[in-house]
Structures are given as structure tokens and as C-alpha cells.
Amino acid sequence: MLIEDVKKSIVNAGFQDGEKMPSVRRMAERLGLSVNTVHRAYKLLAIDGRIQLVHGKGCFWGAAPSFDVKPEESVYSVVERLFQNDLDSGFLNAFDELPSCKELSSRYAVSPYIVKKFLLQKSAQGILRHVGHRFFFSEERPIGKSNYVLFVHRSDEFGRLKIESERESDVFRTFAQIAAEQKIAVKFIGYHESSNQFFLSDGRVYTIKNDVHCLGVFLSTWLVYDASKLFAYFATFKNPISVWWEYAPDMVPMSARNKKKWAFYNVAFGKEAGVIVGRYLKSKNMGPVHYLSPYHASFWSKARLQGLLEAGTDVVPLVDDRFASPFDLIDVANRGGIDSQVLLNSVLESLLKKATLDKFVCSNDRVAASLIDFFKAKKLPTPYVVGFDDTIESYRYVFDSFAFNVGTMVKEAIYHIVAPTIYAEQRRQMQTPLGRVVEKH
């Protein structure tokens, strides 16, 4: 039965204005349909204004009756928010069993009864499934031996994938590991932007097409300069698409916004990382600090500074807005015939002439390592430094660094492909898995 037919059946059921409707599960039994199908129909009817969804009370036809909100309602709202935060942070893993009711009740500071009732509500909506006392996220589609996921990433004209940063390497390794654990085959495809073509690893041209065996696509936009050209190939793609979006959230092409079965994952380009670093510094009573960035023409550098300020950090910026990224600086250096590290050192030396503090938040780990080298070369005491990316440089030089949550991003991206309707309806289209500061001693 088509979803519009399901909506029509509910509309024609003769409910009166303000009447409480059957639960999703009971309506599913009445119509002989799956819980997930009825859940989708209810949500669409709510969007149309035909029914009202009242948290903790149920569904009402037309206008919901007025009633006093009991204290228990606010408790469920808190659990809902904390549960969502745990999804965002990666504490809850889409592929694993959820923590026990006892563990979650302790974590959320509510009774096990409240937690169990909340989880049972999610089960009735088709979002979770439970086996005895154990709860799991519902998997929507079975995965067969012939199924696979397309992983699309930039390449050269011969189909060789370009993996030139630690974050790219982390995404590839994590994706392959999780896919192997879930017995999901992955087909890696190169995208050569200059020719606007796709390639297999052996250099043969690959044609994007709908394939019944393809579960979905993971699209990487890392250093893809015109994502709309890449997205155009998937405009009529029927299966779910997870996009690793490495630009500002508001730069998503209009053609790809709010598309059904599309989910975007922004790991490093929001202000959240700066907020977390700022809170970390405040917890250590560190401040004021300099924010040092030679890449302040970029959205991500500005966002990190904004996050520090929103966290209440006392910040004195030392920034250069000529470059938008390390790759931008490298291009300028190459055109000038000089070493990129020499150019970076020159930019930092110029910025540091205005330095008055001995604590620094650096826009990335490369800047942090270069800052430490600068102080050592001048035979000055090494300042306190915190960077972003948690790369191998932060371990070689031993400084704190913010680790972006690549693992959670990849898990959620794969799960969106496996269970696009159930899971995606619970998330924002642009998702930002939260990371943490990794201390070095």
C-alpha cells in the first residue's frame, strides 16, 4: 500500500476533532501494516496539520485538547534530549546494543521505570526493537552477499584515490573496518573533478546508475570545489546517500537540501569544536589565550574562534586572512617557488610579533607544532598549546589537541544507508558528531 493510501485510510476512519487516535502499533495492527509505515503516515499527517502529536499523550485528530502537563512529561523531555545528545556524541552506537535501563537511568538521573517507558515508546514507533530486556536500533533492510555500498572520493585522472591528510586516512580506515564488521562490501570509486568523471581503481571509467544490489552511497566532498556537479549524478538515485560535507553548513547546494534519503555529516567545520575547547580551557582555569590562525579566510577558522568566544573564553586573536586552508598556503608557496613550511613560519613570525600571552589555541596541529618549533628556535620557554585534529604531530610534540569524532560520523553514515527511514527521521539533515580534547602529558 502506498503511503498516500495509508494516509487516506486514516483520514477516512471518522475521527472527531480532538479525539485521541490509536497508538502507532495498534493502528498498524488494525490496517495490517508495518509499524514503520504507520509511523511515517502519522508524521506526514502531523506535517499536514491533520493530527497533533503530543509528547507523552499520544496522537489527536485535529486540535489536541488542552490539559495540564504533569511533572513526568518534563522528565521525558529531558530523557529525549539526553538520548539525542548521546546519539550526537557517539556514546550510543547505531550497530550495538543500547546500555541497560539501569545504566541509562544512572546516566540521565531518572528512574529505570522512566527509561524503560521511554525506550518502549521508541520501540512502538519502530525506531528501536527489543529482545527481552535488551534494546537495539531497528535495522530496516537485510544485507545480502551481493549487496554493496559505493564510497566516492576524489581521485586523479587514472582513478587513483587522493588521500593526503590524516582525517581522510581515518575516514577510509574506519569505514572499511566498520563495513567489514557488519559484513558490508564496499566499492571504492574515484571522482576526477576536472573531467567530471568517475573511475574504478584500474582506471576504467565508471558509470553511476541505480543498481538493486547497491545499498547506498557515501559521498566525500573533501577538496571537491563544486559539489553540485558531483551531486547532479545522484539526483535520481533511489537509495540512501550519506554525504561527508567538509564545508560550511549553509554552503550545501539548494538542489541537495532537505532531500529525502540524503543525510549530511559535518565533522570539522562548525563552531562546536571551539566551544568544547573553550569549556576545556575554562575547566583548567586557563586564560586568557591567543587564537593563532594563518588560515582565517576560511569558514572553519572563524567558526573555531566563534566557538571559543561563545564558551566564554578570554581570547586575543592573532590571525591572517589571506589563506583559506593549508592547501591554499601550499599552492601560494609552490607558485612562488618557496617551501611551504618556510612560508608558514614567515606568516607565524609576523603574527607572533603581537603576542603578549603564553597560552595558545592553534587553528590546527600543524600550526601548533610550528609554533613550538618557533619558540625552541628562539630559545624561549615552550608555551601551553592546544591544537585541532589530534594528528600524530600532537603526540610527537606532546600537546593537547581536539579529536574530531570521525568514528561516530562513519558509523552514522553507514547506518543511514542501512536504515534510512527509521534512523534519519530522528536526526537533523546536517549532523555534527561531537569530539573531545585529548590531553597529552
Side-chain angles (χ1 to χ4, degrees):
M1 184 181 290
L2 297 176
I3 195 67
E4 290 301 320
D5 294 329
V6 178
K7 288 169 60 181
K8 190 177 295 184
S9 296
I10 296 172
V11 169
N12 294 333
F15 295 109
Q16 300 299 311
D17 190 52
E19 180 181 349
K20 185 172 182 179
M21 300 172 64
S23 68
V24 170
R25 186 172 294 280
R26 187 164 296 176
M27 180 64 81
E29 292 172 354
R30 179 185 298 183
L31 298 178
L33 299 170
S34 71
V35 169
N36 187 46
T37 299
V38 174
H39 175 58
R40 289 174 58 200
Y42 271 32
K43 289 202 73 172
L44 291 171
L45 287 168
I47 292 171
D48 293 341
R50 305 297 294 271
I51 67 174
Q52 302 295 322
L53 304 178
V54 181
H55 183 72
K57 293 293 183 181
C59 301
F60 296 84
W61 186 258
S66 60
F67 39 73
D68 295 328
V69 177
K70 297 178 181 179
E72 189 179 63
E73 296 301 319
S74 61
V75 174
Y76 285 117
S77 297
V78 170
V79 173
E80 178 82 51
R81 175 175 55 80
L82 295 175
F83 188 82
Q84 184 66 48
N85 289 344
D86 279 345
L87 273 173
D88 288 339
S89 69
F91 177 79
L92 298 178
N93 183 348
F95 288 107
D96 293 340
E97 177 184 349
L98 269 65
S100 68
C101 290
K102 183 178 180 181
E103 290 175 280
L104 289 177
S105 71
S106 175
R107 184 175 179 84
Y108 299 157
V110 297
S111 71
Y113 168 78
I114 295 292
V115 171
K116 186 172 183 180
K117 189 172 180 180
F118 169 80
L119 297 179
L120 287 173
Q121 287 176 352
K122 293 297 182 186
S123 298
Q125 294 168 0
I127 296 163
L128 300 177
R129 59 187 174 89
H130 66 101
V131 181
H133 298 294
R134 305 164 68 198
F135 288 85
F136 306 82
F137 281 98
S138 296
E139 291 187 13
E140 190 170 83
R141 297 184 294 171
I143 300 169
K145 291 183 178 179
S146 61
N147 294 131
Y148 64 91
V149 171
L150 276 184
F151 186 124
V152 179
H153 187 75
R154 66 193 177 100
S155 73
D156 62 18
E157 65 272 27
F158 304 108
R160 290 185 293 243
L161 298 176
K162 290 187 174 183
I163 307 172
E164 300 171 348
S165 67
E166 284 197 38
R167 196 177 308 143
E168 288 173 288
S169 299
D170 287 346
V171 169
F172 270 82
R173 279 193 296 264
T174 306
F175 198 100
Q177 179 183 351
I178 295 173
E181 290 172 354
Q182 303 303 320
K183 297 180 173 55
I184 301 172
V186 182
K187 185 180 290 187
F188 292 98
I189 302 296
Y191 173 62
H192 184 239
E193 188 170 11
S194 297
S195 64
N196 202 25
Q197 287 185 301
F198 298 87
F199 294 92
L200 295 167
S201 59
D202 60 9
R204 287 180 294 156
V205 174
Y206 182 82
T207 303
I208 300 297
K209 58 186 177 183
N210 280 297
D211 179 354
V212 294
H213 299 295
C214 180
L215 294 169
V217 184
F218 180 81
L219 289 180
S220 164
T221 63
W222 184 277
L223 291 185
V224 173
Y225 296 103
D226 186 357
S228 60
K229 289 198 308 182
L230 172 61
F231 292 167
Y233 281 97
F234 299 90
T236 60
F237 207 75
K238 295 179 180 178
N239 287 327
I241 294 177
S242 293
V243 180
W244 174 21
W245 184 249
E246 282 296 313
Y247 298 95
D250 60 2
M251 290 177 65
V252 174
M254 292 299 296
S255 60
R257 294 186 185 185
N258 300 314
K259 287 197 72 168
K260 215 169 185 182
K261 294 190 176 181
W262 283 56
F264 286 75
Y265 300 87
N266 188 326
V267 179
F269 279 69
K271 64 183 179 181
E272 291 82 3
V275 171
I276 292 172
V277 170
R279 290 172 179 167
Y280 170 79
L281 292 173
K282 289 187 72 175
S283 73
K284 299 290 185 180
N285 294 318
M286 292 188 185
V289 299
H290 281 305
Y291 176 67
L292 183 64
S293 176
Y295 311 121
H296 212 58
S298 67
F299 167 83
W300 54 268
S301 176
K302 292 183 174 72
R304 289 172 192 177
L305 175 57
Q306 180 186 356
L308 289 168
L309 293 170
E310 287 192 12
T313 314
D314 187 358
V315 184
V316 180
L318 300 174
V319 299
D320 189 313
D321 59 7
R322 291 176 295 166
F323 309 102
S325 72
F327 302 99
D328 191 12
L329 184 144
I330 290 170
D331 286 343
V332 171
N334 289 340
R335 288 198 299 271
I338 60 175
D339 182 80
S340 61
Q341 185 63 53
V342 171
L343 177 57
L344 176 59
N345 291 343
S346 174
V347 172
L348 293 180
E349 185 169 7
S350 176
L351 293 174
L352 289 169
K353 289 177 181 178
K354 299 178 182 179
T356 57
L357 307 171
D358 62 353
K359 298 179 181 64
F360 291 82
V361 176
C362 297
S363 55
N364 68 12
D365 284 355
R366 177 79 181 277
V367 173
S370 299
L371 172 67
I372 292 172
D373 282 341
F374 174 85
F375 273 79
K376 286 183 177 179
K378 299 287 186 182
K379 295 184 170 21
L380 296 171
T382 301
Y384 172 77
V385 175
V386 58
F388 290 87
D389 289 332
D390 195 40
T391 64
I392 195 66
E393 294 296 291
S394 69
Y395 294 88
R396 286 180 58 220
Y397 284 78
V398 194
F399 58 82
D400 297 345
S401 183
F402 182 85
F404 293 100
N405 202 338
V406 168
T408 294
M409 184 268 283
V410 171
K411 287 175 184 176
E412 293 191 0
I414 293 177
Y415 199 77
H416 167 69
I417 291 170
V418 175
T421 303
I422 295 173
Y423 197 52
E425 283 186 355
Q426 303 309 304
R427 316 304 308 282
R428 303 179 300 273
Q429 188 187 19
M430 180 65 71
Q431 296 161 33
T432 307
L434 303 177
R436 63 187 181 89
V437 176
V438 179
E439 292 188 65
K440 315 294 194 305
H441 298 287

